[in-house]
Amino acid sequence: MSAPLVVFDKVEKQFGDFVAVKQLDFEIREGEFLAIMGPSGCGKTTTLRMLAGLDAPTVGEIRLGGRVMNDVAPHDRDTPLVWQSLALFPFLTARQNVEFGLKMRGVGAAERKERALKWLEKMGILEFADRDISTLSGGQKQRVALARSLVMEPQILLLDEPLSALDAHLVIRMQAVLTDLQRELGITFVYVTHSQSEAFAMADRVIIMGKGEIAQIGTPKDIYRAPANQFVAEFVGRNNILSGNVQALSNETARITTPSGNFTVPTNTVQLTQGAKASFVISADLVHISLGEPDGENKAQCKLISEEFVGSMVTLFLEDAHGQEFKVQMQERELSKFDLNSGDQIWLSWDTASAHVLDQS
Amino acid sequence: MFSKLSRKLNLFALTWRLPIIIWQFVFFVGPVLFMVAMSFFLVKNYRMTEAFEFVNWSKMMNRGYFWDSYWYTVFIAAVSTVCAMCIAFPAAFALAFRASDSTRRWAIFLLIIPFFTSYLVRTFSWFVILSESGVVNAMLGSIGLGPFTMLNTNFGTLVGYMTLTLPLVVILQTVTMANIDKTLVEAARNLGCSAFRTIWQVIIPLSKTGLIIAAIFCFILSFGDFVAPFYLGGSQEPTLPILILDTTKSGQQWPRAAVVAIMMMLTLFAIAFIGIALAYRKPKGAK
């Protein structure tokens, strides 16, 4: 693997007494689509702003292509940002907006126009080139904002929740536009979002942040199937989290006692000790349901509380006799075989390999 | 039922609006119409008599001293506007972008305080500072310069105009710039625009409407001001307000003074109209 494009070296940022981010220690690879995800106030936007030079790190170093960026002014960087508010200049037309960065870089009028029009065409909004920004729709503005950044032909594009103001159907369309663009251009995208679906749909790797620190870095699949800790497991949401004590240890598995029963978990990721506290998760889509008691080591009897449909997928919300909540995700046509009603008692079960033990620290 | 209700509401609203409508008619529209009518009256034996003659208009429009005074007033008010806008801008910029919210609130409060005191009193206090034996000349004299004549000059007039207009211009500019979206300034920086360049590229275009309105106010106040050119400028070159006073004093020529006043009003209407049109103009080349 080639040298990383961006390195965050023990970066910390304080605003007065408030520590916005700390111990930021990660790399961004050349050409990857990296998503930084976390709840509001987790420091994800601050991280992006430091990369753009709009905030300076209090401690640590940020390197871009090997060059230390801490003291480089924002206008001397090649890190265009697509803003949450889009931040299009209302006093300029669509084309003039796209030309703005080139004008600042001293590109001549003729070349500026040509490059701006090329990008507006690429984004499918050439016909709106001479339109006033305020007359464009949300999706069109979005494309102008993307064109304005990409016309600079940067090595890295920063995106700060750019889709959060769009309608749901437009979000899906723009996700496709973004992933296609990223693949075609081969440049690095750093995408900040609070939306798990956006991050998981588009990113090669995801950084989960919480309270100013990195909670986990990994591929969407890693994070979804094997959350590193309770915070990530809860943030990702579609997980069943069970806690108890280690009752017995064998080579590759452990038996954990919880109020809801005893369960077997694989121990290949975390070192467990006899009698210690342990938590584990099972993704909601890896849980099976049955009316009769199933075979196997991992099972729980639950009462159906409610159902939630999203397209052809359905999420069941259940609770066992000890108040432990469970979520099960499955295809609607599969569920319809069972003919369930709220309050029905059913059995849940899962394979030992589906469980994932969380890091307690 | 609904139409009845809405008529009731309209009556209710009208009742509240009526006083200001009556006020405007009695004390603004009425006097203006009377002034227009008066500009056609005649003065015989120092007494105004009703008539409809164009003699006042033709006399004033053909007098060199009227046009000298007219263009001088336009010029000095324009210079005042440029000076006030330039002097105010750095202060307003600092208050809008560098100062904290509470500092900005305090500054705006302090800028309102000059309006508590009479403008005439503030103007007279400049005598102490600007006269031949005043504070400024004493200080310059101590390093071997001067004395400079500052009273009864254009400079004196401009100092008076600044006294009148600067606080207002700073407030208007500050409020305008404080309201612009800071993200747009950051977006410009992000696209390669240096901090200094953002002033021309982003901040001025974004605050164009407010800045033009500040300039219009400044021009109107300076153009119509009597105190500064009379007391600090020495009325050596009379501005139009001084001309009005002189005209009424000499031979009770109220009709001719009305002509001057109407010309002033027309000029201000034109300036305000052009200014507002510019302020709300769409971007260049936009459809």
Side-chain angles (χ1 to χ4, degrees):
Chain A
M1 175 141 309
S2 58
L5 180 65
V6 177
V7 178
F8 274 69
D9 194 352
K10 298 187 185 63
V11 171
E12 184 168 321
K13 175 66 184 175
Q14 298 168 5
F15 295 103
D17 291 337
F18 173 70
V19 180
V21 295
K22 59 188 168 188
Q23 290 158 28
L24 279 188
D25 225 359
F26 66 94
E27 294 173 354
I28 303 172
R29 296 169 196 152
E30 193 151 4
E32 80 170 328
F33 196 133
L34 177 78
I36 303 178
M37 184 170 82
S40 302
C42 72
K44 56 189 191 296
T45 296
T46 303
T47 306
L48 198 71
R49 288 175 58 86
M50 285 194 289
L51 190 47
L54 299 163
D55 287 324
T58 314
V59 181
E61 216 172 73
I62 298 171
R63 292 189 288 275
L64 176 63
R67 178 179 172 208
V68 178
M69 299 302 282
N70 290 38
D71 296 323
V72 179
H75 64 272
D76 288 328
R77 298 182 185 213
D78 187 24
T79 51
L81 177 59
V82 180
W83 304 75
Q84 184 168 15
S85 64
L86 302 183
L88 294 171
F89 302 120
F91 50 88
L92 300 176
T93 63
R95 175 164 68 84
Q96 288 168 332
N97 262 282
V98 178
E99 282 184 22
F100 187 89
L102 298 173
K103 195 173 160 191
M104 294 304 112
R105 292 270 187 257
V107 177
E111 192 191 336
R112 250 176 15 222
K113 184 176 175 183
E114 190 193 319
R115 283 169 69 177
L117 291 178
K118 190 189 92 184
W119 271 100
L120 287 168
E121 187 174 13
K122 207 178 177 70
M123 301 306 298
I125 46 168
L126 185 60
E127 63 208 280
F128 306 111
D130 291 323
R131 285 270 286 270
D132 199 350
I133 289 298
S134 61
T135 65
L136 300 182
S137 73
Q140 290 160 351
K141 284 182 192 168
Q142 192 78 59
R143 287 159 192 264
V144 175
L146 272 170
R148 185 177 70 171
S149 292
L150 288 170
V151 76
M152 308 290 284
E153 290 167 8
Q155 270 186 297
I156 184 166
L157 181 71
L158 313 180
L159 303 108
D160 183 13
E161 309 214 21
L163 307 185
S164 58
L166 293 184
D167 293 340
H169 68 282
L170 272 177
V171 170
I172 306 287
R173 182 126 51 98
M174 285 308 293
Q175 282 179 6
V177 170
L178 285 172
T179 40
D180 288 351
L181 265 176
Q182 197 264 340
R183 224 164 282 149
E184 185 194 327
L185 300 170
I187 64 174
T188 309
F189 276 31
V190 182
Y191 190 99
V192 161
T193 181
H194 65 270
S195 156
Q196 189 186 322
S197 63
E198 284 178 24
F200 282 13
M202 293 187 283
D204 300 319
R205 284 198 309 153
V206 178
I207 295 180
I208 307 270
M209 289 184 71
K211 292 176 184 153
E213 283 181 280
I214 293 176
Q216 188 171 3
I217 305 181
T219 63
K221 198 179 158 196
D222 285 345
I223 287 170
Y224 186 53
R225 294 288 183 225
N229 50 47
Q230 184 110 4
F231 173 80
V232 177
E234 279 170 8
F235 185 71
V236 168
R238 268 168 254 137
N239 280 308
N240 296 295
I241 306 171
L242 290 149
S243 299
N245 293 312
V246 180
Q247 185 202 21
L249 275 169
S250 70
N251 271 348
E252 285 163 357
T253 60
R255 194 76 180 152
I256 295 178
T257 310
T258 77
S260 303
N262 298 333
F263 302 100
T264 307
V265 297
T267 54
N268 47 358
T269 53
V270 177
Q271 200 66 42
L272 291 175
T273 44
Q274 183 87 32
K277 278 191 187 328
S279 299
F280 63 98
V281 297
I282 314 103
S283 299
D285 59 330
L286 298 178
V287 180
H288 311 292
I289 65 170
S290 57
L291 295 175
E293 185 171 351
D295 299 329
E297 294 172 291
N298 305 301
K299 57 195 169 193
Q301 195 182 23
C302 294
K303 190 172 75 174
L304 181 62
I305 306 291
S306 63
E307 302 170 5
E308 184 185 278
F309 289 88
V310 179
S312 63
M313 291 297 284
V314 58
T315 307
L316 305 179
F317 296 91
L318 309 108
E319 202 178 278
D320 72 3
H322 313 280
Q324 169 74 43
E325 289 173 12
F326 285 92
K327 277 169 272 182
V328 180
Q329 204 171 41
M330 61 199 300
Q331 292 285 333
E332 195 275 331
R333 65 183 145 77
E334 237 178 288
L335 177 71
S336 59
K337 293 174 200 158
F338 291 93
D339 188 27
L340 295 176
N341 292 308
S342 294
D344 287 357
Q345 290 286 337
I346 56 170
W347 283 91
L348 307 183
S349 61
W350 58 88
D351 299 335
T352 298
S354 302
H356 170 78
V357 181
L358 297 173
D359 198 340
Q360 279 310 115
S361 58
Chain B
M1 193 190 102
F2 279 111
S3 68
K4 207 172 167 186
L5 187 72
S6 70
R7 213 161 58 215
K8 259 187 195 163
L9 277 174
N10 278 342
L11 264 177
F12 175 76
L14 193 65
T15 313
W16 283 103
R17 286 172 199 156
L18 214 52
I20 188 71
I21 294 172
I22 292 172
W23 179 277
Q24 287 288 329
F25 265 91
V26 172
F27 294 108
F28 179 70
V29 179
V32 167
L33 290 176
F34 178 69
M35 190 174 72
V36 172
M38 193 170 73
S39 72
F40 299 101
F41 289 1
L42 292 176
V43 175
K44 286 175 182 164
N45 297 328
Y46 301 104
R47 291 187 61 168
M48 202 156 57
T49 50
E50 286 172 36
F52 189 73
E53 301 281 348
F54 288 89
V55 59
N56 301 312
W57 281 91
S58 66
K59 281 256 164 68
M60 289 311 280
M61 292 301 109
N62 289 317
R63 290 276 155 82
Y65 71 82
F66 169 76
W67 288 110
D68 288 348
S69 173
Y70 181 85
W71 289 116
Y72 171 70
T73 313
V74 170
F75 168 75
I76 196 88
V79 172
S80 163
T81 306
V82 171
C83 287
M85 291 297 285
C86 293
I87 294 169
F89 191 83
F93 182 88
L95 286 175
F97 293 104
R98 300 282 180 267
S100 66
D101 284 358
S102 70
T103 309
R104 182 160 59 244
R105 272 198 292 274
W106 273 106
I108 288 172
F109 174 70
L110 292 174
L111 283 163
I112 291 172
I113 286 183
F115 295 104
F116 294 1
T117 58
S118 158
Y119 169 47
L120 201 59
V121 172
R122 282 182 283 147
T123 303
F124 277 120
S125 63
W126 277 110
F127 281 119
V128 183
I129 300 166
L130 297 181
S131 69
E132 302 272 322
S133 54
V135 176
V136 173
N137 272 320
M139 274 161 61
L140 289 173
S142 68
I143 54 167
L145 291 172
F148 294 99
T149 307
M150 287 176 282
L151 286 175
N152 305 329
T153 62
N154 283 341
F155 177 77
T157 305
L158 283 173
V159 167
Y161 285 157
M162 293 303 109
T163 312
L164 178 66
T165 61
L166 259 184
L168 181 69
V169 172
V170 175
I171 289 173
L172 288 176
Q173 287 190 355
T174 303
V175 172
T176 301
M177 288 195 282
N179 279 334
I180 75 176
D181 181 359
K182 307 281 187 290
T183 315
L184 291 171
V185 181
E186 287 190 330
R189 306 264 349 245
N190 179 251
L191 291 166
C193 191
S194 69
F196 187 71
R197 225 174 151 191
T198 57
I199 294 173
W200 270 114
Q201 296 294 339
V202 186
I203 292 164
I204 289 180
L206 280 176
S207 39
K208 188 184 74 177
T209 305
L211 293 180
I212 290 177
I213 285 170
I216 292 173
F217 262 107
C218 186
F219 187 90
I220 290 173
L221 287 173
S222 305
F223 191 75
D225 182 40
F226 171 79
V227 172
F230 191 78
Y231 291 104
L232 296 175
S235 70
Q236 309 209 318
E237 223 169 331
T239 59
L240 292 176
I242 296 170
L243 189 66
I244 290 178
L245 187 77
D246 289 351
T247 313
T248 55
K249 274 183 178 166
S250 60
Q252 292 292 313
Q253 274 296 354
W254 288 90
R256 287 181 195 177
V259 169
V260 178
I262 291 166
M263 286 302 286
M264 287 184 72
M265 282 188 69
L266 291 175
T267 307
L268 291 181
F269 267 125
I271 295 279
F273 184 81
I274 293 167
I276 301 277
L278 279 177
Y280 289 98
R281 195 176 51 165
K282 289 269 174 196
K284 261 180 292 178
K287 278 179 195 164

